[in-house]
Amino acid sequence: MSKPVLVTGAGPVGLIMAAELARYGVPVRIIDKSPARTSQSRALAIWPRTLELLDAAGYADAFVADGLHAKAVSIHVGNRTLARIPFGTIASSFNYLLMIPQSETERLLEDHLRTFGITVERGTELRDFADKDAGVSCTLMHGEGKTEALEAGWLIGCDGAHSFVRNRLGLTFEGETLPTGFVLADVHVTGLAILPDEPAIFWHPDGAVMFFPISRSRYRIIADLGSAPLHTPSLKEMQTIVDRRGPGGIILSDPVWLSDFGVNERIVRDYRKGHVFLAGDAAHIHSPAGGQGMNVGMQDAFNLAWKLALVERQKARPSLLDSYNIERSRVARQILADSGRMTTAVLLKRHLAQRVRNFAVKWIFSISVIRRAMADRLSGIMIDYPDSPLNVGSARGLRGPGPGQRLITGGNPGRRDSPRFVIAARDSADARAMIARHSSLLMPEVYLPSDENGIWLVRPDGYVAATARSGNWPLIEMVLNGITLKKINIEKY
Ligand SMILES: Cc1cc2nc3c(=O)[nH]c(=O)nc-3n(C[C@H](O)[C@H](O)[C@H](O)COP(=O)(O)OP(=O)(O)OC[C@H]3O[C@@H](n4cnc5c(N)ncnc54)[C@H](O)[C@@H]3O)c2cc1C
């Protein structure tokens, strides 16, 4: 029995990491120092790309059934609508924004994890670790004050923004803290005339107030504080902000959560040191504008888990793991930049700048191509890995995505014992022979290609690893051999 992977932190990112590793047959333990799951709604938004990944792993249905399906997001000034960006144009079977409280997301993920016989070890804290040649020696402190020495094969720090793992590794969390704070309230709302299932943002010379539906008639309200210091708001204060900045006639009641938060934009330079990885908020944090934080973290987990599983099960060369930092830190930097721009737009204070912003937004989003591009960008379906060392070939002259781009091949791989790549090509004896030669790495079926003249080799996380012209099976063979470190006979190609 090989040493377990220790996942530290049972937030959404740690839970997905543990579930994915378990799905791929890797022994895993997951600990959290907190004695209970969060009851706060925190991250509410799950975007289409994350839903696609949950679906490919076989457990999107519970989320889809539980959450609200927001069909658009809109921006207003008083009773005037500046922009409405519909999500129905997103080229995904999940062409909506799923609104579901983080407490519920974590409950569903824990239920899913239990189907592999794994429970979160709560009240268990990672107190120390040392990276050694063959793994990581960890010191755990259990709730009752008992310490445990654990030899883990790998340690994955999914331990949030104040990550102990990151600090212990001595990695700098580079970036800045924004000067403005925010207040939030989860409350019952009446009198909001816009569609009840849609997030709505209201701009006002004083600042912004934003409404995010949690369930029918219950909303998360967020407002910036301007130059006021951070403080927990009262319901009365939130009502005053909504009356002043909103469209009027809105009544708030029955608050279940009132809080404040500051905004940091920070990222580590390297998501890995030796046998230790970082994922989620432990590696990157940014403004909640755009609702991407949890999504990027969950996608980190989907990206790392299959690679680590292949390496752990000795089906791939260890250098496969180097692609994790290259691919994911680029995505986080993009999200940091996007959410930073959105936050700047929200926080504009000078009257003239606000008028120019409002005019520009109204004009820009009257163009359907731009509305569509914005929806695609928010959805996560445009995320790609152009600089990945795993990319081979080119889709030039072919109809379909190139290496590093997303490709949904259909079918639902669901539960399986090992990560599998997919071949999408015209069904042929060559295709079947390739699958037979690499049966431990490839799905047994040949999937439909987007162009009959091409071959696509698709990674277990739904991104293209290689593209070749029809008949160029030697290129695909070379890529698969490169992953598994089989000897490559160059002359053959
Ligand atoms: C008010 C608010 C609103 C937000 N809204 C959104 C949104 O709309 N959309 C979005 O995408 N994101 C949003 N976010 C961000 C989102 O909540 C985070 O991105 C997400 O929780 C990160 O998940 P994580 O698993 O990386 O970390 P966390 O959820 O922070 O989980 C880390 C876990 O690690 C545990 N831990 C820490 N140290 C140790 C240790 N030494 N040993 C054992 N366990 C440890 C902690 O107890 C914790 O449970 C919001 C956040 C806040 C606070």
Side-chain angles (χ1 to χ4, degrees), residues 101-120:
Q102 186 170 326
S103 48
E104 192 58 9
T105 293
E106 292 185 16
R107 183 186 71 75
L108 292 172
L109 290 173
E110 266 197 81
D111 286 353
H112 176 65
L113 190 59
R114 264 195 292 276
T115 64
F116 299 102
I118 296 172
T119 42
V120 176

mmCIF file with all atom_site columns, all heavy atoms in Angstrom, residues 101-120:
data_model
loop_
_atom_site.group_PDB
_atom_site.id
_atom_site.type_symbol
_atom_site.label_atom_id
_atom_site.label_alt_id
_atom_site.label_comp_id
_atom_site.label_asym_id
_atom_site.label_entity_id
_atom_site.label_seq_id
_atom_site.pdbx_PDB_ins_code
_atom_site.Cartn_x
_atom_site.Cartn_y
_atom_site.Cartn_z
_atom_site.occupancy
_atom_site.B_iso_or_equiv
_atom_site.pdbx_formal_charge
_atom_site.auth_seq_id
_atom_site.auth_comp_id
_atom_site.auth_asym_id
_atom_site.auth_atom_id
_atom_site.pdbx_PDB_model_num
ATOM 1   N N   . PRO A 1 101 ? -25.309 28.309 -2.278 1.00 0.00 ? 101 PRO A N   1
ATOM 2   C CA  . PRO A 1 101 ? -24.424 28.733 -1.190 1.00 0.00 ? 101 PRO A CA  1
ATOM 3   C C   . PRO A 1 101 ? -23.249 27.770 -0.999 1.00 0.00 ? 101 PRO A C   1
ATOM 4   O O   . PRO A 1 101 ? -23.399 26.559 -1.181 1.00 0.00 ? 101 PRO A O   1
ATOM 5   C CB  . PRO A 1 101 ? -25.332 28.703 0.045  1.00 0.00 ? 101 PRO A CB  1
ATOM 6   C CG  . PRO A 1 101 ? -26.723 28.641 -0.468 1.00 0.00 ? 101 PRO A CG  1
ATOM 7   C CD  . PRO A 1 101 ? -26.674 28.018 -1.822 1.00 0.00 ? 101 PRO A CD  1
ATOM 8   N N   . GLN A 1 102 ? -22.109 28.325 -0.620 1.00 0.00 ? 102 GLN A N   1
ATOM 9   C CA  . GLN A 1 102 ? -20.912 27.485 -0.437 1.00 0.00 ? 102 GLN A CA  1
ATOM 10  C C   . GLN A 1 102 ? -21.142 26.393 0.620  1.00 0.00 ? 102 GLN A C   1
ATOM 11  O O   . GLN A 1 102 ? -20.629 25.288 0.505  1.00 0.00 ? 102 GLN A O   1
ATOM 12  C CB  . GLN A 1 102 ? -19.719 28.359 -0.041 1.00 0.00 ? 102 GLN A CB  1
ATOM 13  C CG  . GLN A 1 102 ? -18.414 27.595 0.019  1.00 0.00 ? 102 GLN A CG  1
ATOM 14  C CD  . GLN A 1 102 ? -17.203 28.517 0.180  1.00 0.00 ? 102 GLN A CD  1
ATOM 15  O OE1 . GLN A 1 102 ? -17.200 29.618 -0.353 1.00 0.00 ? 102 GLN A OE1 1
ATOM 16  N NE2 . GLN A 1 102 ? -16.215 28.064 0.900  1.00 0.00 ? 102 GLN A NE2 1
ATOM 17  N N   . SER A 1 103 ? -21.950 26.706 1.646  1.00 0.00 ? 103 SER A N   1
ATOM 18  C CA  . SER A 1 103 ? -22.251 25.698 2.675  1.00 0.00 ? 103 SER A CA  1
ATOM 19  C C   . SER A 1 103 ? -22.912 24.478 2.033  1.00 0.00 ? 103 SER A C   1
ATOM 20  O O   . SER A 1 103 ? -22.615 23.326 2.380  1.00 0.00 ? 103 SER A O   1
ATOM 21  C CB  . SER A 1 103 ? -23.167 26.290 3.741  1.00 0.00 ? 103 SER A CB  1
ATOM 22  O OG  . SER A 1 103 ? -24.246 26.954 3.121  1.00 0.00 ? 103 SER A OG  1
ATOM 23  N N   . GLU A 1 104 ? -23.782 24.724 1.072  1.00 0.00 ? 104 GLU A N   1
ATOM 24  C CA  . GLU A 1 104 ? -24.477 23.643 0.376  1.00 0.00 ? 104 GLU A CA  1
ATOM 25  C C   . GLU A 1 104 ? -23.514 22.910 -0.573 1.00 0.00 ? 104 GLU A C   1
ATOM 26  O O   . GLU A 1 104 ? -23.527 21.685 -0.669 1.00 0.00 ? 104 GLU A O   1
ATOM 27  C CB  . GLU A 1 104 ? -25.663 24.254 -0.393 1.00 0.00 ? 104 GLU A CB  1
ATOM 28  C CG  . GLU A 1 104 ? -26.675 23.302 -0.954 1.00 0.00 ? 104 GLU A CG  1
ATOM 29  C CD  . GLU A 1 104 ? -27.330 22.411 0.095  1.00 0.00 ? 104 GLU A CD  1
ATOM 30  O OE1 . GLU A 1 104 ? -27.141 22.623 1.301  1.00 0.00 ? 104 GLU A OE1 1
ATOM 31  O OE2 . GLU A 1 104 ? -28.000 21.450 -0.333 1.00 0.00 ? 104 GLU A OE2 1
ATOM 32  N N   . THR A 1 105 ? -22.678 23.684 -1.250 1.00 0.00 ? 105 THR A N   1
ATOM 33  C CA  . THR A 1 105 ? -21.668 23.078 -2.141 1.00 0.00 ? 105 THR A CA  1
ATOM 34  C C   . THR A 1 105 ? -20.791 22.119 -1.342 1.00 0.00 ? 105 THR A C   1
ATOM 35  O O   . THR A 1 105 ? -20.527 20.986 -1.768 1.00 0.00 ? 105 THR A O   1
ATOM 36  C CB  . THR A 1 105 ? -20.804 24.203 -2.769 1.00 0.00 ? 105 THR A CB  1
ATOM 37  O OG1 . THR A 1 105 ? -21.639 24.960 -3.629 1.00 0.00 ? 105 THR A OG1 1
ATOM 38  C CG2 . THR A 1 105 ? -19.633 23.659 -3.547 1.00 0.00 ? 105 THR A CG2 1
ATOM 39  N N   . GLU A 1 106 ? -20.350 22.561 -0.170 1.00 0.00 ? 106 GLU A N   1
ATOM 40  C CA  . GLU A 1 106 ? -19.478 21.702 0.633  1.00 0.00 ? 106 GLU A CA  1
ATOM 41  C C   . GLU A 1 106 ? -20.234 20.466 1.132  1.00 0.00 ? 106 GLU A C   1
ATOM 42  O O   . GLU A 1 106 ? -19.670 19.376 1.197  1.00 0.00 ? 106 GLU A O   1
ATOM 43  C CB  . GLU A 1 106 ? -18.890 22.506 1.799  1.00 0.00 ? 106 GLU A CB  1
ATOM 44  C CG  . GLU A 1 106 ? -17.913 23.572 1.309  1.00 0.00 ? 106 GLU A CG  1
ATOM 45  C CD  . GLU A 1 106 ? -17.208 24.308 2.445  1.00 0.00 ? 106 GLU A CD  1
ATOM 46  O OE1 . GLU A 1 106 ? -17.222 23.828 3.591  1.00 0.00 ? 106 GLU A OE1 1
ATOM 47  O OE2 . GLU A 1 106 ? -16.640 25.385 2.177  1.00 0.00 ? 106 GLU A OE2 1
ATOM 48  N N   . ARG A 1 107 ? -21.517 20.642 1.459  1.00 0.00 ? 107 ARG A N   1
ATOM 49  C CA  . ARG A 1 107 ? -22.298 19.472 1.909  1.00 0.00 ? 107 ARG A CA  1
ATOM 50  C C   . ARG A 1 107 ? -22.394 18.441 0.784  1.00 0.00 ? 107 ARG A C   1
ATOM 51  O O   . ARG A 1 107 ? -22.165 17.246 0.992  1.00 0.00 ? 107 ARG A O   1
ATOM 52  C CB  . ARG A 1 107 ? -23.714 19.901 2.337  1.00 0.00 ? 107 ARG A CB  1
ATOM 53  C CG  . ARG A 1 107 ? -24.548 18.737 2.872  1.00 0.00 ? 107 ARG A CG  1
ATOM 54  C CD  . ARG A 1 107 ? -25.987 19.142 3.148  1.00 0.00 ? 107 ARG A CD  1
ATOM 55  N NE  . ARG A 1 107 ? -26.785 19.402 1.956  1.00 0.00 ? 107 ARG A NE  1
ATOM 56  C CZ  . ARG A 1 107 ? -27.271 18.478 1.127  1.00 0.00 ? 107 ARG A CZ  1
ATOM 57  N NH1 . ARG A 1 107 ? -27.027 17.203 1.342  1.00 0.00 ? 107 ARG A NH1 1
ATOM 58  N NH2 . ARG A 1 107 ? -27.975 18.810 0.059  1.00 0.00 ? 107 ARG A NH2 1
ATOM 59  N N   . LEU A 1 108 ? -22.674 18.914 -0.435 1.00 0.00 ? 108 LEU A N   1
ATOM 60  C CA  . LEU A 1 108 ? -22.797 17.984 -1.566 1.00 0.00 ? 108 LEU A CA  1
ATOM 61  C C   . LEU A 1 108 ? -21.457 17.302 -1.863 1.00 0.00 ? 108 LEU A C   1
ATOM 62  O O   . LEU A 1 108 ? -21.411 16.109 -2.171 1.00 0.00 ? 108 LEU A O   1
ATOM 63  C CB  . LEU A 1 108 ? -23.303 18.733 -2.816 1.00 0.00 ? 108 LEU A CB  1
ATOM 64  C CG  . LEU A 1 108 ? -24.750 19.239 -2.745 1.00 0.00 ? 108 LEU A CG  1
ATOM 65  C CD1 . LEU A 1 108 ? -25.066 20.133 -3.935 1.00 0.00 ? 108 LEU A CD1 1
ATOM 66  C CD2 . LEU A 1 108 ? -25.723 18.065 -2.703 1.00 0.00 ? 108 LEU A CD2 1
ATOM 67  N N   . LEU A 1 109 ? -20.377 18.079 -1.746 1.00 0.00 ? 109 LEU A N   1
ATOM 68  C CA  . LEU A 1 109 ? -19.061 17.489 -2.024 1.00 0.00 ? 109 LEU A CA  1
ATOM 69  C C   . LEU A 1 109 ? -18.692 16.454 -0.964 1.00 0.00 ? 109 LEU A C   1
ATOM 70  O O   . LEU A 1 109 ? -18.116 15.404 -1.276 1.00 0.00 ? 109 LEU A O   1
ATOM 71  C CB  . LEU A 1 109 ? -17.988 18.586 -2.097 1.00 0.00 ? 109 LEU A CB  1
ATOM 72  C CG  . LEU A 1 109 ? -18.072 19.514 -3.311 1.00 0.00 ? 109 LEU A CG  1
ATOM 73  C CD1 . LEU A 1 109 ? -17.069 20.659 -3.191 1.00 0.00 ? 109 LEU A CD1 1
ATOM 74  C CD2 . LEU A 1 109 ? -17.827 18.737 -4.603 1.00 0.00 ? 109 LEU A CD2 1
ATOM 75  N N   . GLU A 1 110 ? -19.035 16.742 0.280  1.00 0.00 ? 110 GLU A N   1
ATOM 76  C CA  . GLU A 1 110 ? -18.750 15.765 1.347  1.00 0.00 ? 110 GLU A CA  1
ATOM 77  C C   . GLU A 1 110 ? -19.560 14.488 1.141  1.00 0.00 ? 110 GLU A C   1
ATOM 78  O O   . GLU A 1 110 ? -19.046 13.387 1.350  1.00 0.00 ? 110 GLU A O   1
ATOM 79  C CB  . GLU A 1 110 ? -19.073 16.373 2.716  1.00 0.00 ? 110 GLU A CB  1
ATOM 80  C CG  . GLU A 1 110 ? -17.857 16.995 3.351  1.00 0.00 ? 110 GLU A CG  1
ATOM 81  C CD  . GLU A 1 110 ? -18.049 17.229 4.851  1.00 0.00 ? 110 GLU A CD  1
ATOM 82  O OE1 . GLU A 1 110 ? -17.893 16.285 5.646  1.00 0.00 ? 110 GLU A OE1 1
ATOM 83  O OE2 . GLU A 1 110 ? -18.346 18.374 5.177  1.00 0.00 ? 110 GLU A OE2 1
ATOM 84  N N   . ASP A 1 111 ? -20.826 14.646 0.738  1.00 0.00 ? 111 ASP A N   1
ATOM 85  C CA  . ASP A 1 111 ? -21.666 13.463 0.446  1.00 0.00 ? 111 ASP A CA  1
ATOM 86  C C   . ASP A 1 111 ? -21.012 12.638 -0.647 1.00 0.00 ? 111 ASP A C   1
ATOM 87  O O   . ASP A 1 111 ? -20.942 11.411 -0.574 1.00 0.00 ? 111 ASP A O   1
ATOM 88  C CB  . ASP A 1 111 ? -23.065 13.891 -0.050 1.00 0.00 ? 111 ASP A CB  1
ATOM 89  C CG  . ASP A 1 111 ? -23.937 14.427 1.078  1.00 0.00 ? 111 ASP A CG  1
ATOM 90  O OD1 . ASP A 1 111 ? -23.499 14.345 2.240  1.00 0.00 ? 111 ASP A OD1 1
ATOM 91  O OD2 . ASP A 1 111 ? -25.031 14.945 0.774  1.00 0.00 ? 111 ASP A OD2 1
ATOM 92  N N   . HIS A 1 112 ? -20.519 13.328 -1.671 1.00 0.00 ? 112 HIS A N   1
ATOM 93  C CA  . HIS A 1 112 ? -19.885 12.624 -2.783 1.00 0.00 ? 112 HIS A CA  1
ATOM 94  C C   . HIS A 1 112 ? -18.616 11.897 -2.322 1.00 0.00 ? 112 HIS A C   1
ATOM 95  O O   . HIS A 1 112 ? -18.378 10.750 -2.678 1.00 0.00 ? 112 HIS A O   1
ATOM 96  C CB  . HIS A 1 112 ? -19.563 13.630 -3.893 1.00 0.00 ? 112 HIS A CB  1
ATOM 97  C CG  . HIS A 1 112 ? -18.815 13.049 -5.045 1.00 0.00 ? 112 HIS A CG  1
ATOM 98  N ND1 . HIS A 1 112 ? -19.362 12.087 -5.869 1.00 0.00 ? 112 HIS A ND1 1
ATOM 99  C CD2 . HIS A 1 112 ? -17.553 13.254 -5.491 1.00 0.00 ? 112 HIS A CD2 1
ATOM 100 C CE1 . HIS A 1 112 ? -18.479 11.742 -6.781 1.00 0.00 ? 112 HIS A CE1 1
ATOM 101 N NE2 . HIS A 1 112 ? -17.370 12.437 -6.571 1.00 0.00 ? 112 HIS A NE2 1
ATOM 102 N N   . LEU A 1 113 ? -17.841 12.573 -1.492 1.00 0.00 ? 113 LEU A N   1
ATOM 103 C CA  . LEU A 1 113 ? -16.591 11.980 -0.995 1.00 0.00 ? 113 LEU A CA  1
ATOM 104 C C   . LEU A 1 113 ? -16.875 10.715 -0.201 1.00 0.00 ? 113 LEU A C   1
ATOM 105 O O   . LEU A 1 113 ? -16.136 9.722  -0.287 1.00 0.00 ? 113 LEU A O   1
ATOM 106 C CB  . LEU A 1 113 ? -15.871 13.021 -0.123 1.00 0.00 ? 113 LEU A CB  1
ATOM 107 C CG  . LEU A 1 113 ? -14.445 12.720 0.307  1.00 0.00 ? 113 LEU A CG  1
ATOM 108 C CD1 . LEU A 1 113 ? -13.542 12.536 -0.899 1.00 0.00 ? 113 LEU A CD1 1
ATOM 109 C CD2 . LEU A 1 113 ? -13.912 13.858 1.171  1.00 0.00 ? 113 LEU A CD2 1
ATOM 110 N N   . ARG A 1 114 ? -17.973 10.738 0.536  1.00 0.00 ? 114 ARG A N   1
ATOM 111 C CA  . ARG A 1 114 ? -18.330 9.563  1.355  1.00 0.00 ? 114 ARG A CA  1
ATOM 112 C C   . ARG A 1 114 ? -18.623 8.345  0.492  1.00 0.00 ? 114 ARG A C   1
ATOM 113 O O   . ARG A 1 114 ? -18.478 7.212  0.947  1.00 0.00 ? 114 ARG A O   1
ATOM 114 C CB  . ARG A 1 114 ? -19.525 9.887  2.258  1.00 0.00 ? 114 ARG A CB  1
ATOM 115 C CG  . ARG A 1 114 ? -19.080 10.320 3.668  1.00 0.00 ? 114 ARG A CG  1
ATOM 116 C CD  . ARG A 1 114 ? -20.254 10.290 4.642  1.00 0.00 ? 114 ARG A CD  1
ATOM 117 N NE  . ARG A 1 114 ? -21.241 11.311 4.317  1.00 0.00 ? 114 ARG A NE  1
ATOM 118 C CZ  . ARG A 1 114 ? -21.152 12.583 4.715  1.00 0.00 ? 114 ARG A CZ  1
ATOM 119 N NH1 . ARG A 1 114 ? -20.155 12.963 5.475  1.00 0.00 ? 114 ARG A NH1 1
ATOM 120 N NH2 . ARG A 1 114 ? -22.057 13.466 4.370  1.00 0.00 ? 114 ARG A NH2 1
ATOM 121 N N   . THR A 1 115 ? -19.035 8.557  -0.764 1.00 0.00 ? 115 THR A N   1
ATOM 122 C CA  . THR A 1 115 ? -19.313 7.406  -1.633 1.00 0.00 ? 115 THR A CA  1
ATOM 123 C C   . THR A 1 115 ? -18.031 6.624  -1.931 1.00 0.00 ? 115 THR A C   1
ATOM 124 O O   . THR A 1 115 ? -18.079 5.497  -2.398 1.00 0.00 ? 115 THR A O   1
ATOM 125 C CB  . THR A 1 115 ? -19.987 7.813  -2.969 1.00 0.00 ? 115 THR A CB  1
ATOM 126 O OG1 . THR A 1 115 ? -19.064 8.619  -3.715 1.00 0.00 ? 115 THR A OG1 1
ATOM 127 C CG2 . THR A 1 115 ? -21.279 8.578  -2.749 1.00 0.00 ? 115 THR A CG2 1
ATOM 128 N N   . PHE A 1 116 ? -16.874 7.231  -1.678 1.00 0.00 ? 116 PHE A N   1
ATOM 129 C CA  . PHE A 1 116 ? -15.599 6.507  -1.837 1.00 0.00 ? 116 PHE A CA  1
ATOM 130 C C   . PHE A 1 116 ? -15.117 5.965  -0.486 1.00 0.00 ? 116 PHE A C   1
ATOM 131 O O   . PHE A 1 116 ? -13.987 5.501  -0.363 1.00 0.00 ? 116 PHE A O   1
ATOM 132 C CB  . PHE A 1 116 ? -14.517 7.445  -2.397 1.00 0.00 ? 116 PHE A CB  1
ATOM 133 C CG  . PHE A 1 116 ? -14.851 8.012  -3.745 1.00 0.00 ? 116 PHE A CG  1
ATOM 134 C CD1 . PHE A 1 116 ? -15.318 9.313  -3.869 1.00 0.00 ? 116 PHE A CD1 1
ATOM 135 C CD2 . PHE A 1 116 ? -14.719 7.245  -4.891 1.00 0.00 ? 116 PHE A CD2 1
ATOM 136 C CE1 . PHE A 1 116 ? -15.633 9.841  -5.102 1.00 0.00 ? 116 PHE A CE1 1
ATOM 137 C CE2 . PHE A 1 116 ? -15.033 7.772  -6.134 1.00 0.00 ? 116 PHE A CE2 1
ATOM 138 C CZ  . PHE A 1 116 ? -15.501 9.068  -6.236 1.00 0.00 ? 116 PHE A CZ  1
ATOM 139 N N   . GLY A 1 117 ? -15.968 6.099  0.534  1.00 0.00 ? 117 GLY A N   1
ATOM 140 C CA  . GLY A 1 117 ? -15.597 5.614  1.864  1.00 0.00 ? 117 GLY A CA  1
ATOM 141 C C   . GLY A 1 117 ? -14.658 6.567  2.596  1.00 0.00 ? 117 GLY A C   1
ATOM 142 O O   . GLY A 1 117 ? -13.981 6.163  3.544  1.00 0.00 ? 117 GLY A O   1
ATOM 143 N N   . ILE A 1 118 ? -14.620 7.831  2.165  1.00 0.00 ? 118 ILE A N   1
ATOM 144 C CA  . ILE A 1 118 ? -13.710 8.789  2.805  1.00 0.00 ? 118 ILE A CA  1
ATOM 145 C C   . ILE A 1 118 ? -14.521 9.858  3.540  1.00 0.00 ? 118 ILE A C   1
ATOM 146 O O   . ILE A 1 118 ? -15.434 10.452 2.967  1.00 0.00 ? 118 ILE A O   1
ATOM 147 C CB  . ILE A 1 118 ? -12.793 9.456  1.763  1.00 0.00 ? 118 ILE A CB  1
ATOM 148 C CG1 . ILE A 1 118 ? -11.901 8.388  1.143  1.00 0.00 ? 118 ILE A CG1 1
ATOM 149 C CG2 . ILE A 1 118 ? -11.938 10.556 2.386  1.00 0.00 ? 118 ILE A CG2 1
ATOM 150 C CD1 . ILE A 1 118 ? -11.101 8.857  -0.015 1.00 0.00 ? 118 ILE A CD1 1
ATOM 151 N N   . THR A 1 119 ? -14.172 10.082 4.800  1.00 0.00 ? 119 THR A N   1
ATOM 152 C CA  . THR A 1 119 ? -14.810 11.178 5.534  1.00 0.00 ? 119 THR A CA  1
ATOM 153 C C   . THR A 1 119 ? -13.743 12.201 5.908  1.00 0.00 ? 119 THR A C   1
ATOM 154 O O   . THR A 1 119 ? -12.575 11.861 6.099  1.00 0.00 ? 119 THR A O   1
ATOM 155 C CB  . THR A 1 119 ? -15.489 10.687 6.840  1.00 0.00 ? 119 THR A CB  1
ATOM 156 O OG1 . THR A 1 119 ? -14.620 9.765  7.468  1.00 0.00 ? 119 THR A OG1 1
ATOM 157 C CG2 . THR A 1 119 ? -16.832 10.080 6.603  1.00 0.00 ? 119 THR A CG2 1
ATOM 158 N N   . VAL A 1 120 ? -14.178 13.436 6.006  1.00 0.00 ? 120 VAL A N   1
ATOM 159 C CA  . VAL A 1 120 ? -13.253 14.504 6.401  1.00 0.00 ? 120 VAL A CA  1
ATOM 160 C C   . VAL A 1 120 ? -12.898 14.299 7.870  1.00 0.00 ? 120 VAL A C   1
ATOM 161 O O   . VAL A 1 120 ? -13.781 14.105 8.712  1.00 0.00 ? 120 VAL A O   1
ATOM 162 C CB  . VAL A 1 120 ? -13.923 15.885 6.216  1.00 0.00 ? 120 VAL A CB  1
ATOM 163 C CG1 . VAL A 1 120 ? -12.994 16.992 6.715  1.00 0.00 ? 120 VAL A CG1 1
ATOM 164 C CG2 . VAL A 1 120 ? -14.305 16.106 4.762  1.00 0.00 ? 120 VAL A CG2 1
#
